[in-house]
């Protein structure tokens, strides 16, 4: 099997984020591998390992695909140190401020060229929080969409995948034939920590860098534009009580606010 | 006058409160048509539930593919309706399913997309709260038909009774959208309480409940509230996953959120920090969730909640 994993580098969740000219200022915050994408990398490795492995010369490969600035190399390297085989990073100045439509167009072009059986994503990038890229990829690639999976079973011989999908609408059992786009929820597995050996090995693995010309798509300016953004007033410091009649004080507070 | 499509929202076959919210936002822009995508034979019954808010028209399309093939089939037909009607905007409920439908519809119709709007104005400008609610953003779609997903419980809905005209369209679901098959579906576990994302008040319990949610549930019931849980509580199996609030659970923004025995990890905050009023009960005065509390009680939830429950009942009687 040829498995692709889409990972994004995002600002650290704890970092303070700011908008500059209508786009997220990514320059001045620490960046990390989107933690929800670690589950995607782990699941890709487990699928490969369950069917003969992705070691050099093994039957399967796991390729990391990312679109982002040059320094997204660090996030990609982390996925490689977990055990993925190689990586493609799409970097181009024209992609600054790209929206989900542009992102999915770029990723779809890379995936199409690579001819993958399975594409595995996280359910959400912790910065944009849109949860739309996997569905857009399935649409663009004209392949099956198996998203929000809490369980994935792959039959490489029959080229079939079954998943359990968990969303607010309940729990569904779904299946499809290769190729397909899968997204995995964080309950699916426990991502491994890169081992020392993994980190050393990752230094030698190939990260192929491509610009838009190499990908072969042109990206228009974003199809949705931020008109303005403004910081909201921080929550005023609240009341904090700890004495014996705190329950009664709390109820009075709720009554004053007309919440009872 | 221009036309606005809303994708009618159903959970387990029942129309949700979100429909009137979508219609209210849509009516600021134009005449609202609700699109009901139903399994064969169910269209009329489902359409009859779209009976509140400023809805002028309901169009029904019936196909078992909406159940058997999910998101792809729904987006396929929605895009066909958009192509035929050129609406001024399409509004969809902002949850996992709604966002995925919006995603595929945007690609199909060559349109821009905005997710998680908390408001939409008459000129189709969407308001979003980003970066953990610390920043307000106004944005507009600049290409194609604006496809906007709207967060449940954000828009003050008009709920006057509606008697929309009903029309059935005969449209085919393309084979390309039948590549994934749903073989079985289990509806979400529903207790007798309000639905989390629709509730005006949510009372959540975390690891601090130590598995005993009775005090949390008792307080929730005194307020007519929904019950939520942190991931620590759902992971431990104390409460079903569908009740999880947070980054990988549900996003709620009720009038009042009461967090009991929840520390306030960033992933939990991501699902509740735009709540209008936040009350925190935690025995650790240093718990980070106190930072965003309007009212904090440093104390043992098992001592505080029963007293508070009595207090609420006394005031209500
Ligand atoms: C990828 C990822 C996704 C995640 N998604 C989510 C998510 O969607 N939602 C979510 O909630 N978490 C999520 N988490 C987990 C999150 O990081 C925290 O681990 C979790 O929110 C902690 O839950 P908690 O606050 O209940 O438990 P803890 O952090 O253990 O806090 C328990 C609190 O209870 C207090 N307490 C104990 N006993 C009592 C008592 N008797 N009375 C009063 N207070 C008491 C303690 O002082 C403590 O502050 C996610 C984590 C990851 C890595
Ligand atoms: N720039 C990107 N590069 C690679 N993968 C991405 C990128 N953006 C999003 N993804 C994938 O799509 C998933 C959902 O992202 P989003 O729709 O932005 O919330 C992520 O978890 C990633 O797996």
């Amino acid at each position: 099997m040829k498995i692709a994993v889409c990972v994004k580098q995002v600002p650290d969740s704890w970092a303070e984020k700011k908008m500059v000219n209508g786009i997220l200022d990514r320059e001045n915050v620490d960046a990390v591998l989107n933690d929800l994408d670690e589950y995607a990398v782990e699941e890709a490795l487990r699928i490969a390992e369950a069917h003969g492995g992705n070691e050099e010369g093994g039957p399967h490969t796991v390729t990391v695909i990312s679109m982002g600035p040059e320094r997204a190399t660090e996030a990609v390297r982390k996925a490689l140190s977990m055990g993925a085989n190689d990586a493609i990073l799409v970097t181009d100045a024209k992609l600054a401020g790209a929206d989900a439509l542009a992102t999915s167009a770029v990723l779809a072009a890379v995936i199409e060229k690579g001819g993958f059986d399975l594409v595995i994503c996280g359910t959400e990038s912790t910065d944009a929080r849109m949860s739309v890229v996997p569905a857009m990829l399935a649409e663009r690639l004209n392949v099956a969409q198996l998203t929000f999976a809490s369980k994935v079973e792959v039959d490489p011989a029959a080229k079939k995948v079954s998943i359990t999908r968990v969303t607010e609408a309940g729990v569904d059992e779904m299946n499809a034939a290769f190729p397909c786009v899968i997204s995995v929820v964080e309950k699916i597995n426990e991502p491994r920590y890169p081992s020392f050996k993994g980190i050393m090995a990752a230094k030698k693995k190939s990260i192929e860098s491509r610009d838009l010309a190499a990908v072969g798509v042109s990206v228009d300016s974003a199809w949705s534009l931020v008109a303005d953004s403004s910081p909201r007033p921080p929550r005023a410091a609240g009341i904090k009580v700890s004495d014996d009649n705190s329950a009664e004080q709390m109820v009075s507070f709720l009554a004053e606010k007309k919440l009872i | 006058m221009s036309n606005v499509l809303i994708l009618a929202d159903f959970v387990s076959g029942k129309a949700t409160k979100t429909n009137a919210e979508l219609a209210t936002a849509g009516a600021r822009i134009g005449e609202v048509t609700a699109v009901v995508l139903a399994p064969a034979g169910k269209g009329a019954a489902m359409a009859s539930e779209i009976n509140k808010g400023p809805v002028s028209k309901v169009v029904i399309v019936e196909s078992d593919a909406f159940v058997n093939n999910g998101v792809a089939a729904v987006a396929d037909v929605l895009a066909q309706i958009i192509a035929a009607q050129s609406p001024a905007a399409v509004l969809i409920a902002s949850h996992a399913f709604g966002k995925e439908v919006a995603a595929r519809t945007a690609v199909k119709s060559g349109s821009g997309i905005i997710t998680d709007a908390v408001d939409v104005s008459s000129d189709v400008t969407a308001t979003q709260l980003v970066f953990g609610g610390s920043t307000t953003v106004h944005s507009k779609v600049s290409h194609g038909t604006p496809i906007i997903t709207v967060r449940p419980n954000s828009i003050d809905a008009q709920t006057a009774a509606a008697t929309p005209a009903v029309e059935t369209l005969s449209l085919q679901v393309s084979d390309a959208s039948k590549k994934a098959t749903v073989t079985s579906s289990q509806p979400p576990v529903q207790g007798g309480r309000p639905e989390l994302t629709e509730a005006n008040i949510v009372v959540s319990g975390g690891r601090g409940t130590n598995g005993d949610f009775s005090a949390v549930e008792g307080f929730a019931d005194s307020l007519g509230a929904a019950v939520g849980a942190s991931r620590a509580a759902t992971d431990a199996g104390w409460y079903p996953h569908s009740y999880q609030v947070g980054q990988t659970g549900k996003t709620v923004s009720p009038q009042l959120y009461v967090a009991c025995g929840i520390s306030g990890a960033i992933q939990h905050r991501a699902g509740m920090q735009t709540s209008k009023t936040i009350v925190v009960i935690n025995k650790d005065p240093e718990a980070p969730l106190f930072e965003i509390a309007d009212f904090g009680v440093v104390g043992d939830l098992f001592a505080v909640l029963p007293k508070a429950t009595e207090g609420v009942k006394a005031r209500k009687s």
Side-chain angles (χ1 to χ4, degrees), chain A residues 6-8 34 37 65-67 103 107 121-125 128-134:
Chain A
C6 295
V7 307
K8 185 178 183 183
N34 178 31
D37 295 346
I65 300 176
S66 188
M67 181 188 112
T103 303
L107 296 176
C121 297
T123 46
E124 178 176 293
S125 50
R129 300 210 59 197
M130 288 183 78
S131 278
V132 293
V133 166

Side-chain angles (χ1 to χ4, degrees), chain B residues 72-301:
Chain B
V74 169
D76 186 60
V77 168
L78 188 58
Q80 293 180 45
I81 300 174
I82 293 169
Q85 304 199 352
S86 316
V90 181
L91 306 183
I92 301 176
S94 211
H95 41 46
F97 180 83
K99 291 208 258 188
E100 291 198 323
V101 168
R104 297 190 70 133
T105 306
V107 171
K108 278 181 191 288
S109 67
S111 299
I113 173 176
I114 294 172
T115 56
D116 285 301
V118 293
D119 205 5
V120 184
S121 67
S122 57
D123 68 347
V124 205
T125 298
T127 307
Q128 292 161 289
L129 302 179
V130 302
F131 312 148
S134 66
T135 305
T136 304
V137 170
H138 293 112
S139 32
K140 274 185 100 146
V141 165
S142 52
H143 204 286
T145 306
I147 314 272
I148 302 176
T149 72
V150 181
R151 231 182 235 179
N153 222 358
S154 302
I155 289 172
D156 213 356
Q158 297 170 34
T159 52
T163 44
V166 179
E167 187 190 342
T168 300
L169 303 178
S170 93
L171 295 173
Q172 298 306 315
V173 176
S174 73
D175 285 338
S177 42
K178 294 183 180 167
K179 293 197 159 136
T181 312
V182 178
T183 52
S184 79
S185 290
Q186 242 180 295
V189 207
Q190 277 290 354
R193 300 193 177 85
E195 211 284 315
L196 252 184
T197 49
E198 295 187 349
N200 288 326
I201 303 181
V202 174
V203 181
S204 289
R207 198 191 311 274
T209 62
N210 204 14
D212 178 2
F213 263 66
S214 58
V216 169
E217 289 177 337
F219 188 56
D221 290 343
S222 75
L223 292 164
V227 171
S230 73
R231 182 175 169 202
T234 58
D235 272 2
W238 301 338
Y239 239 70
H241 173 62
S242 54
Y243 290 82
Q244 183 176 314
V245 172
Q247 166 123 59
T248 50
K250 286 181 177 169
T251 300
V252 300
S253 55
Q255 293 299 322
L256 170 64
Y257 188 85
V258 184
C260 313
I262 296 177
S263 62
I266 194 144
Q267 294 93 346
H268 188 77
R269 290 186 188 203
M272 48 65 74
Q273 57 200 347
T274 57
S275 304
K276 275 61 162 202
T277 299
I278 297 174
V279 170
V280 171
I281 303 169
N282 197 306
K283 66 182 183 189
D284 172 11
E286 303 298 320
L289 203 54
F290 280 124
E291 288 163 18
I292 58 166
D294 298 290
F295 194 93
V297 178
V298 181
D300 187 331
L301 68 94

Side-chain angles (χ1 to χ4, degrees), chain A residues 29-230:
Chain A
V29 288
D30 285 343
V32 295
L33 170 58
N34 178 31
D35 58 5
L36 296 177
D37 295 346
E38 290 183 22
Y39 300 86
V41 176
E42 177 66 33
E43 197 58 24
L45 296 171
R46 288 191 189 192
I47 291 169
E49 285 158 3
H51 300 281
N54 65 322
E55 301 291 316
E56 183 84 59
H60 311 297
T61 53
V62 175
T63 300
V64 177
I65 300 176
S66 188
M67 181 188 112
E70 201 77 58
R71 70 170 179 158
T73 311
E74 293 158 34
V76 169
R77 194 75 73 188
K78 173 154 189 203
L80 290 174
S81 64
M82 286 172 73
N85 299 73
D86 52 12
I88 300 165
L89 173 63
V90 181
T91 297
D92 197 305
K94 290 195 206 73
L95 287 168
D99 60 8
L101 287 155
T103 303
S104 63
V106 167
L107 296 176
V110 173
I111 293 164
E112 187 118 63
K113 198 166 172 191
F116 294 96
D117 300 304
L118 304 176
V119 178
I120 307 185
C121 297
T123 46
E124 178 176 293
S125 50
T126 52
D127 56 346
R129 300 210 59 197
M130 288 183 78
S131 278
V132 293
V133 166
M136 286 180 176
L137 286 178
E139 178 66 40
R140 291 192 188 279
L141 293 164
N142 193 18
V143 304
Q145 173 188 332
L146 297 173
T147 46
F148 287 87
S150 63
K151 191 173 165 204
V152 177
E153 266 170 64
V154 177
D155 182 343
K159 295 186 184 294
K160 285 200 79 166
V161 186
S162 327
I163 68 149
T164 304
R165 169 182 168 93
V166 280
T167 67
E168 70 289 326
V171 181
D172 296 336
E173 301 298 327
M174 298 185 72
N175 62 53
F178 287 6
C180 49
V181 174
I182 299 167
S183 77
V184 299
V185 302
E186 99 294 351
K187 302 222 181 264
I188 196 166
N189 59 39
E190 200 53 63
R192 67 195 66 184
Y193 288 104
S195 64
F196 180 71
K197 201 172 141 233
I199 294 168
M200 295 317 284
K203 295 195 167 147
K204 294 193 215 89
K205 288 177 180 169
S206 128
I207 301 180
E208 185 195 336
S209 190
R210 290 188 195 166
D211 60 11
L212 275 181
V215 173
V217 295
S218 60
V219 172
D220 319 340
S221 58
W223 283 7
S224 53
L225 296 171
V226 172
D228 61 78
S229 71
S230 49

